[in-house]
Amino acid sequence: MSEFVDLETQDGVRMTWNTFPGTKQEALSCVIPVAAMYTPLKPIPDTPVLPYSPLRCRICRSILNPFSVVDYVAKIWVCPFCFQRNHFPQHYMSISEENLPAELFPQYTTIEYASSPDTGPKMPSVFLFVVDTCLIEEEIMFLKSALSQAIELLPENSLVGLITFGTYVQVHELGFGHMPKSYVFKGSKEITKEQLLEQMCFFAGRPRPNVGVIAGPRDGLSPESIARFLLPASECEFVLNSVLEELPRDPWPVPADQRASRCTSTALSIAASLLGLCVPGSGARIMAFVGGPSTQGSGSIVSKNLSEPIRSHKDLDKGAAALYNKAVKFYEALSKQLVHQGHVLDLFACALDQVGVAELKVAVERTGGIVVLAESFGHSVFKDSLRRIFQSTDYDLGLAFNNFALHKIISVNITPDFFLVSLLEHFHSGVFEVNCSKDVKVQGIIGPCASLEKVG
Ligand SMILES: [Zn+2]
């Protein structure tokens, strides 16, 4: 048993029986299925970080590892998965039995590779705050003070943006320092990425490229047009604080028999599209601060009419929650968009009332986000959780970021002849690749993740 514990410390992998069935017969007689639990960010003692990119098999893209058969004379390695013979590149020419690169040491079944040149420029992490304004005055005050504390704790080079919502969605232009300026969108109407591009003047004074996907500075957007909404924390602290300070409650009157008109889903969709346009593929998080049920837009969970009660557990069980399916469908689509962009959704839901986490959670789970539930933005559960996120120092705030500067590839081998997991950790949501030999079929994965729909 102790050897398995050692293996877990070394690779962060725990399996049902810590062994694979050797034959088809054995596999069929397994009552408990073979499974592996893997902890991607487990700190592993004495793991070297190699300052170069991993060597991949030409055919199956697996990574060179201690189970590869190496011909030192011919400078060839045989991939243990597809048996493809691969030539070593020039910089491996000095390889010999006495002079092994670290990834071939038998004890390094888990190994890290640091930043590789083909992964693009260094991108800072991005925080987009999405803030509910349909709150009572007291709650707004609590939230403002928590947010301004969080802003102080942001890493200086990280980019920050702000969206507020209520009846309307407001995207604040923090780069315009002279006076508060924002783009306003109707909460009941869905806005596509294309419409955002048009309406937020991303091509002001310049012709719009008429072919291809427009996303990020590499594909058509000028850095200046992006810097209007996402600014380095060190540059926009003042503007951000003054916008927050003046932030009013949603100004639209709410009749006594109605709920506030809160368009959570529209705001989140705009946030996702904005990040998709400005910083695709970089380590960005949408941090949503929500203080009540969504009553407007595709993700609404209840009508505005107070005479209609919010769905209960019983309604959800019986499938009697009228708006549930539509809302879940909306958030499933949103999670797909976020996964595709490599972005995360965090939810801070603080209210005595329900906010609709049941509907929204799919988008948080699949993107590897965080949910914090508390009864008030003044409650220590919320305040301390928010502070903790920004205070930890490991791995950039303790969160994994899709950050190319920290590009990390870990390759892990579980049992020599059958299975290897190579984890290409694009940080934050992380891209997780599993390679296995042809006798092993991956049944699925459980956890906060979504399939990239690549067939292997
Ligand atoms: Zn291969």
Side-chain angles (χ1 to χ4, degrees), residues 57 60 79 82:
C57 166
C60 71
C79 169
C82 67

Side-chain angles (χ1 to χ4, degrees), residues 328-378:
V328 170
K329 212 169 146 198
F330 168 84
Y331 285 113
E332 275 174 352
L334 185 74
S335 68
K336 224 176 208 173
Q337 182 186 350
L338 287 169
V339 166
H340 184 70
Q341 293 171 186
H343 298 152
V344 176
L345 173 63
D346 294 325
L347 176 68
F348 300 85
C350 298
L352 286 168
D353 205 353
Q354 303 199 53
V355 296
V357 179
E359 286 83 352
L360 202 150
K361 71 171 185 200
V362 57
V364 178
E365 276 177 353
R366 291 197 185 158
T367 59
I370 299 166
V371 174
V372 175
L373 291 175
E375 58 200 42
S376 153
F377 286 109

Side-chain angles (χ1 to χ4, degrees), residues 298-301 323-332 359:
S298 312
S300 53
I301 63 160
L323 296 166
Y324 180 78
N325 288 336
K326 187 180 169 216
V328 170
K329 212 169 146 198
F330 168 84
Y331 285 113
E332 275 174 352
E359 286 83 352

Side-chain angles (χ1 to χ4, degrees), residues 187-300:
S188 53
K189 199 171 152 234
E190 259 182 78
I191 302 274
T192 63
K193 241 186 195 176
E194 278 302 303
Q195 288 165 323
L196 267 195
L197 258 186
E198 288 301 329
Q199 296 175 17
M200 291 175 65
C201 310
F202 276 102
F203 295 103
R206 287 183 340 133
R208 182 199 157 123
N210 44 16
V211 282
V213 184
I214 296 160
R218 260 187 288 181
D219 289 305
L221 291 193
S222 68
E224 301 82 54
S225 67
I226 294 169
R228 292 179 300 154
F229 306 106
L230 299 172
L231 262 81
S234 55
E235 284 174 37
C236 68
E237 201 181 323
F238 179 77
V239 182
L240 198 54
N241 272 322
S242 56
V243 173
L244 282 176
E245 230 162 79
E246 315 246 303
L247 192 68
R249 285 184 59 185
D250 190 52
W252 300 88
V254 182
D257 60 342
Q258 300 228 329
R259 293 184 175 89
S261 163
R262 184 184 277 110
C263 62
T264 317
S265 58
T266 315
L268 292 177
S269 162
I270 290 177
S273 295
L274 184 68
L275 290 180
L277 288 173
C278 296
V279 286
S282 72
R285 314 185 80 88
I286 296 171
M287 296 184 133
F289 302 87
V290 184
S294 175
T295 53
Q296 254 204 104
S298 312
S300 53

